[in-house]
Amino acid sequence: WGDRIDCSMLRTFKAAALVSGRKCNKGRSLSTHHHGKDHHEPHSGRTAITSRLWELRAQLKQSEHASKAADPSAAPAANATPTNTPPFIVEKKPKDSYVEITMPFSTDIVLREQYVNYHGGLRFGKILEDLDAMAGNIAHCHADDNNPTTRPLTIVTASVDRIDLLSKLLADRDMRMRGCVSHVGNSSMEVRVDVESLNPVTKTFDPLILAHFTMVALWDGKPTPVNKLIPQTEHEKILFEHGEQNKQKRKEMTKRSLTVRPPDAEEVALLHSLFIEPPKTASAVDAAAKVITIPMAETELQSTCIAHPQERNTNSKVFGGWLMRMAGELAWSNAHSWFGTRPWFLALDDVHFYKPVDIGSIVIFNSQVIYTEGNNAVVQVTTQVLNPRDGTRHKTNSFFFTFTCPERTGDKRVKPNTYEESMRYIDGRRRLNAGRDFAKSMQSRLLKFY
């Protein structure tokens, strides 16, 4: 089943990888093994896993030119350089885009140091970067037509449908990340990535994270058709059917969006109850119930940074994984401030990439607690690019993170005070409920925290 990337040779931030077996990206199979001091340093600021994924993507492109020079008969136009012709539409199997990565955290201290946080756990934002990079590699493999005379398509992340944590992240356990294209539309591809944790007792991999990305193929900046997907095995057919169901769910969510339709009767009643309750603030606490109500506007937390060249992706735009990491760490900080103690990440859903972010941009991340229920909080993060010449801003991304905090005490609730905040409140409630339903369907070990 395709590529297997073994990063157990990671030393001094240098990725080692063994790739074998799969013929993809212009029909060439690639087998490389790097170690020692002779191979490239990882991209500055990126994890060794992301750096290696990008390096493999570049090597696959380079192998096209080498294969063409060595075997001119492999292409119809033997001595011509690759043309501006778009790729041909061919049939692909899910296994043609399958990629697997092993992350040996239990034995590789140098690798673990790239991910560890201040309390000894794993920085989930770093894993978000790796997930985005891996989804890109998978989509590139599917979109390729195995023809060295055509120019490759540009692949971009359109959205992240869901990323759910199914079990606790442990820094001393090996992880396996694997995925493939599970469904295709006209120009879009659904990429499913499973992350598993090695149980040291049973020596089996247990479900840890499940991620679904929607990637889009572009030709000269516009969406273009991608290869057909032909599932072969029963498992592949099930994944394809799930992809079709996810597509329908996205359509239904669009129809039910609060920008299209008003809240339903139950949601209206909930908002009404919020506004008829007597106000309670941190200085006026209900002694019996110990409830503290905080206006939503007072939960904002912001960060601003410059997108330097070190944050660029293979298309020379700002790496989407970096945006997710920055948004995730701001959301975590906001949740930490809200709970007063360390929160646990549960889910990220409905991430949209509205516009690419150019290198050199001033990027503003705004976060806000939009819904709370028990020990859970939903934090929304929006990303804007500031034009310093005229002071205008345009929105580039939106993120919704769900956190829990089993260690918290007391009852602290966020309260909307305007109609716009009320719609965010209801939206956050819907997202928490969707996460709970998904956790039930996956029999998540973290279901009890919803």
Side-chain angles (χ1 to χ4, degrees):
W1 263 57
D3 284 3
R4 180 160 298 161
I5 305 174
D6 179 6
C7 295
S8 61
M9 296 296 293
L10 283 166
R11 290 294 182 269
T12 63
F13 302 101
K14 295 181 180 179
L18 177 63
V19 184
S20 62
R22 176 172 52 79
K23 292 183 177 181
C24 97
N25 206 326
K26 309 309 180 189
R28 302 300 300 173
S29 72
L30 176 67
S31 179
T32 61
H33 184 64
H34 294 285
H35 56 86
K37 298 182 179 180
D38 297 329
H39 62 277
H40 299 299
E41 293 284 351
H43 295 257
S44 177
R46 302 281 73 79
T47 69
I49 302 299
T50 293
S51 295
R52 189 57 183 146
L53 286 165
W54 286 0
E55 184 181 347
L56 289 173
R57 200 183 302 176
Q59 288 176 354
L60 287 168
K61 292 180 180 179
Q62 293 170 3
S63 70
E64 304 166 10
H65 303 292
S67 65
K68 186 176 178 181
D71 185 12
S73 62
N79 300 315
T81 57
T83 66
N84 200 37
T85 305
F88 298 103
I89 301 298
V90 299
E91 293 183 350
K92 288 288 190 79
K93 305 179 184 67
K95 70 177 183 180
D96 293 330
S97 61
Y98 181 88
V99 177
E100 180 178 313
I101 300 175
T102 300
M103 306 164 77
F105 290 127
S106 66
T107 57
D108 197 322
I109 298 176
V110 175
L111 174 63
R112 190 166 66 229
E113 280 297 312
Q114 296 183 48
Y115 291 82
V116 72
N117 57 30
Y118 74 92
H119 54 80
L122 294 176
R123 290 177 62 182
F124 197 80
K126 292 281 190 177
I127 296 175
L128 290 178
E129 286 194 9
D130 293 341
L131 287 169
D132 189 53
M134 187 171 184
N137 275 39
I138 291 170
H140 272 280
C141 286
H142 178 81
D144 186 69
D145 64 354
N146 303 333
N147 190 323
T149 66
T150 57
R151 178 158 61 92
L153 298 173
T154 298
I155 305 298
V156 298
T157 306
S159 65
V160 182
D161 300 327
R162 290 200 65 85
I163 297 179
D164 290 88
L165 189 63
L166 306 177
S167 188
K168 190 174 180 180
L169 280 173
L170 299 174
D172 60 348
R173 290 196 179 184
D174 294 347
M175 286 168 49
R176 180 173 68 183
M177 189 180 297
R178 56 180 180 167
C180 65
V181 171
S182 56
H183 187 271
V184 298
N186 182 37
S187 61
S188 63
M189 297 163 278
E190 181 185 91
V191 175
R192 171 177 169 142
V193 181
D194 291 82
V195 183
E196 300 158 313
S197 176
L198 180 63
N199 188 315
V201 178
T202 64
K203 302 300 181 183
T204 59
F205 281 95
D206 299 326
L208 181 62
I209 300 169
L210 180 57
H212 288 91
F213 291 78
T214 297
M215 316 296 287
V216 171
L218 304 179
W219 178 260
D220 289 339
K222 297 180 180 180
T224 190
V226 293
N227 295 323
K228 299 177 181 178
L229 184 66
I230 310 298
Q232 302 290 308
T233 67
E234 191 63 32
H235 179 65
E236 291 172 351
K237 292 177 182 178
I238 291 174
L239 291 183
F240 189 87
E241 181 61 30
H242 285 172
E244 189 63 34
Q245 293 173 3
N246 291 338
K247 181 180 178 180
Q248 295 304 318
K249 288 179 181 178
R250 288 192 293 270
K251 290 183 178 180
E252 289 299 318
M253 286 180 60
T254 301
K255 291 180 181 179
R256 291 187 65 237
S257 170
L258 292 168
T259 61
V260 177
R261 296 173 57 181
D264 60 31
E266 179 188 1
E267 294 167 339
V268 170
L270 172 62
L271 292 175
H272 181 69
S273 67
L274 289 175
F275 282 96
I276 63 174
E277 287 181 353
K280 304 181 184 70
T281 65
S283 58
V285 181
D286 186 320
K290 295 184 178 180
V291 175
I292 301 176
T293 303
I294 305 296
M296 187 181 294
E298 296 181 12
T299 68
E300 293 182 358
L301 196 62
Q302 184 183 97
S303 67
T304 303
C305 58
I306 299 174
H308 292 288
Q310 290 79 11
E311 316 306 341
R312 66 181 179 273
N313 59 18
T314 55
N315 296 322
S316 295
K317 297 291 185 180
V318 170
F319 177 36
W322 177 76
L323 293 170
M324 285 199 290
R325 175 169 69 83
M326 296 295 289
E329 293 183 349
L330 176 63
W332 187 92
S333 299
N334 199 334
H336 196 173
S337 175
W338 173 264
F339 290 124
T341 186
R342 179 165 56 92
W344 294 5
F345 169 87
L346 286 178
L348 166 64
D349 72 296
D350 203 23
V351 177
H352 287 282
F353 293 82
Y354 302 110
K355 296 180 180 179
V357 179
D358 293 326
I359 297 299
S361 298
I362 299 174
V363 187
I364 302 173
F365 297 85
N366 294 283
S367 70
Q368 188 175 56
V369 178
I370 62 171
Y371 182 73
T372 57
E373 180 181 309
N375 289 342
N376 298 325
V378 178
V379 180
Q380 179 182 7
V381 180
T382 57
T383 304
Q384 297 175 312
V385 169
L386 171 66
N387 185 335
R389 295 181 179 178
D390 58 15
T392 58
R393 303 181 182 188
H394 66 265
K395 183 178 178 180
T396 60
N397 305 87
S398 62
F399 310 82
F400 296 89
F401 296 86
T402 300
F403 296 94
T404 189
C405 189
E407 302 171 359
R408 69 166 293 191
T409 57
D411 193 354
K412 186 178 180 181
R413 303 175 188 176
V414 70
K415 180 179 180 180
N417 284 328
T418 67
Y419 185 81
E420 181 181 1
E421 290 179 352
S422 297
M423 295 305 97
R424 292 180 196 166
Y425 185 87
I426 294 301
D427 189 34
R429 180 174 181 266
R430 290 180 178 182
R431 295 179 188 282
L432 180 63
N433 289 337
R436 182 183 295 116
D437 292 340
F438 186 83
K440 288 180 182 178
S441 68
M442 294 300 298
Q443 298 181 335
S444 169
R445 294 180 180 180
L446 303 184
L447 174 61
K448 61 183 178 181
F449 296 114
Y450 277 95

